[in-house]
């Protein structure tokens, strides 16, 4: 069994952003030399996300508005409710909806994706550098 | 390390449906000959889901209504909000709540599940054939 | 390839709770002797969750209130809507938001986490003993 590990760094100046990181993962896979196996891609932070969806501008804008409706930034006044936790609490909740990690099949030396699958880094509390872990095991 | 790959096809005529695909996965596992390892099961589409829950009719109906409340089909008029993206935008959001993939332990030649765990294909934008990827690695 | 399996039991007397299970996973990893690979940690029940976030008291209280807003306990009267399924239907929905499983990289004999990543067992329908499966594969 071969094993590969790499940290990818993201520096998002705005509070929130979605970054298509698929090309970076293709480089990692090439570097790993692994042709059959599984790749784990996870954010190492609790206010960010790694998820797979379509790279379509309207969709990414809708994610932004939709997540703000599901888990609003504080202070919120809807129904008289507000959070107990810290100022970035909404970022923890938004990341939970979008997910911490993806697992991707590696087949014949490539990321085994459907036609529209793209891997995104989702930042919900930007302004500092954060890491994504890429771990690939296989042969 | 052994490696197994199969695509399963689903053709859902309605817009939405939940299909219990556990028996198909048991066939894949038997075919793979793998007795210890991990199985990744993921939809290859961005408007569908693979998830694990209980196969209970009332629950599946409640999923349907609950997801429509969290991520309504467009046009939506609640609070004057609507989506920017395409007509099937709600399908992308619903799938994000339900998840793209599951990872299942393989122990002693079987899917290592609790008593009520069943794997579902969730379709949120039907009317065309779609694929689920089954990738198993182990020994 | 080495393979390790263990069931961890949780007995939560209240309906809901979040339990930091990271120390238990560190014990499992040590016991496994695996130094490079992947660990799958999943609840074996459909009304509980395994997820990763920050161990911060305010955050956990906000999770509780936020999930109750997204997927209320029945009977609910908001907009005249109620569930069809059983009394614990909200527990199935809450678990779907929080997730069934996490996959964690194993590097150099340790759980390969960012500074604030902690693994939680989330109980949404307590009062009986439930199991979490830990499966580690690698070398």
């Amino acid at each position: 069994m071969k094993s590969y590990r790499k940290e990818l760094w993201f520096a998002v100046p705005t509070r929130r952003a979605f970054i298509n990181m698929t090309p970076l993962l293709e480089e990692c896979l090439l570097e790993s030399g692994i042709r059959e196996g599984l790749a784990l891609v996870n954010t190492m932070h609790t206010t960010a996300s790694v998820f797979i969806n379509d790279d379509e501008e309207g969709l990414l804008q809708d994610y932004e508005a939709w997540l703000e409706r599901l888990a609003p930034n504080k202070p919120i006044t809807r129904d008289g409710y507000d959070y107990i936790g810290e100022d970035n609490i909404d970022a923890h909740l938004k990341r939970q909806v979008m997910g911490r990690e993806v697992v991707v099949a590696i087949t014949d030396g490539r990321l085994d994706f459907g036609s529209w699958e793209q891997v995104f880094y989702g930042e919900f509390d930007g302004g500092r550098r954060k890491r994504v872990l890429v771990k690939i095991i296989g042969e």
Side-chain angles (χ1 to χ4, degrees), chain A residues 12-47:
Chain A
V12 173
T14 52
R15 180 111 205 265
R16 290 196 284 272
F18 298 116
I19 297 168
N20 187 335
M21 55 183 289
T22 317
L24 296 173
L25 297 180
E26 286 165 349
E27 284 175 33
C28 288
L29 181 55
L30 200 64
E31 201 174 86
S32 77
I34 293 173
R35 296 189 60 81
E36 286 291 326
L38 293 177
L40 167 68
V41 188
N42 69 264
T43 168
M44 299 181 82
H45 298 260
T46 55
T47 53

Side-chain angles (χ1 to χ4, degrees), chain A residues 93-124:
Chain A
L93 306 181
K94 284 171 173 121
R95 113 62 176 271
Q96 208 64 38
V97 174
M98 298 303 280
R100 166 193 180 255
E101 79 215 12
V102 298
V103 179
V104 179
I106 306 300
T107 303
D108 204 17
R110 62 188 171 77
L111 300 167
D112 198 341
F113 279 143
S115 309
W116 305 103
E117 288 192 287
Q118 298 286 315
V119 184
F120 285 89
Y121 173 72
E123 176 61 79
F124 303 115

Side-chain angles (χ1 to χ4, degrees), chain A residues 41-136:
Chain A
V41 188
N42 69 264
T43 168
M44 299 181 82
H45 298 260
T46 55
T47 53
S49 172
V50 172
F51 67 95
I52 288 177
N53 219 300
D54 197 349
D55 193 351
E56 200 270 305
E57 182 53 31
L59 173 61
L60 297 178
Q61 287 183 49
D62 281 325
Y63 268 133
E64 166 68 19
W66 178 68
L67 288 169
E68 186 59 28
R69 293 172 63 87
L70 287 189
N73 198 354
K74 69 183 295 188
I76 53 172
T77 53
R78 195 179 54 179
D79 311 356
Y81 175 75
D82 204 354
Y83 304 119
I84 296 159
E86 299 175 7
D87 278 355
N88 66 352
I89 198 92
D90 68 300
H92 293 274
L93 306 181
K94 284 171 173 121
R95 113 62 176 271
Q96 208 64 38
V97 174
M98 298 303 280
R100 166 193 180 255
E101 79 215 12
V102 298
V103 179
V104 179
I106 306 300
T107 303
D108 204 17
R110 62 188 171 77
L111 300 167
D112 198 341
F113 279 143
S115 309
W116 305 103
E117 288 192 287
Q118 298 286 315
V119 184
F120 285 89
Y121 173 72
E123 176 61 79
F124 303 115
D125 188 27
R128 60 199 178 89
R129 297 176 74 226
K130 291 187 186 173
R131 291 175 292 164
V132 166
L133 178 64
V134 181
K135 184 92 183 187
I136 310 175

